[in-house]
Amino acid sequence: MDQSYEERFAERLTGLRMNKGVSAREMSLALGQSVNYINHIENKKVLPSMVAFFNICDYLDITPQEFFAFDNPAPQCYNEILTDLKKLSELERSSLQTIIQSMANK
C-alpha cells in the first residue's frame, strides 16, 4: 500500500531532523514554536503552513526541492561534501572521484 502524503512528509522530516542530530523539542523551540510542534507534524496530526515549511527547510539547511528529493537521504551531508569538494585541487578531485567510483562498484 502506498504511503499517504502526510506519512511521507512526516517520515522525511523525522529523518532529516535526526540527521541533523536535534530533538523534535529543540527544533520546535528553535523555530519559535511550541515544544510539541515538530512532534505533531511527525505524528501526522498537522502539516506546517507554507511559511513554516520554508522555515523548517532553512533550519535544516536544505532547499524545499531537497526536502522532497526522497531518493537523497542526507541532503545536508551532500551539501557539506560539495562545499568541501570546491576547495580541492583538480588532482585531488580526480583522485577522490576514483575512490568513490571504486567504492560504488563493490
Side-chain angles (χ1 to χ4, degrees):
M1 177 196 229
D2 290 336
Q3 288 182 307
S4 71
Y5 171 78
E6 290 84 0
E7 290 170 328
R8 290 187 72 186
F9 189 94
E11 283 183 17
R12 181 65 167 170
L13 177 58
T14 302
L16 293 171
R17 177 184 56 74
M18 292 177 73
N19 284 347
K20 188 170 176 87
V22 296
S23 70
R25 182 181 192 281
E26 287 175 283
M27 186 171 171
S28 295
L29 294 175
L31 292 170
Q33 300 290 335
S34 68
V35 295
N36 293 321
Y37 179 69
I38 295 299
N39 274 330
H40 287 292
I41 297 171
E42 291 180 352
N43 290 319
K44 300 172 282 305
K45 293 180 182 177
V46 298
L47 284 172
S49 69
M50 188 66 77
V51 171
F53 171 68
F54 287 133
N55 289 335
I56 287 169
C57 290
D58 285 342
Y59 178 80
L60 295 171
D61 297 320
I62 60 171
T63 65
Q65 181 179 359
E66 290 168 330
F67 184 95
F68 291 108
F70 296 113
D71 62 334
N72 180 353
Q76 305 103 315
C77 180
Y78 289 10
N79 289 338
E80 289 175 22
I81 290 170
L82 289 174
T83 297
D84 290 340
L85 281 173
K86 293 174 185 175
K87 299 173 188 174
L88 301 178
S89 70
E90 182 62 35
L91 178 60
E92 291 168 328
R93 281 193 303 274
S94 178
S95 297
L96 187 56
Q97 183 176 10
T98 301
I99 293 168
I100 291 170
Q101 287 172 342
S102 172
M103 293 172 75
N105 291 327
K106 285 188 174 184

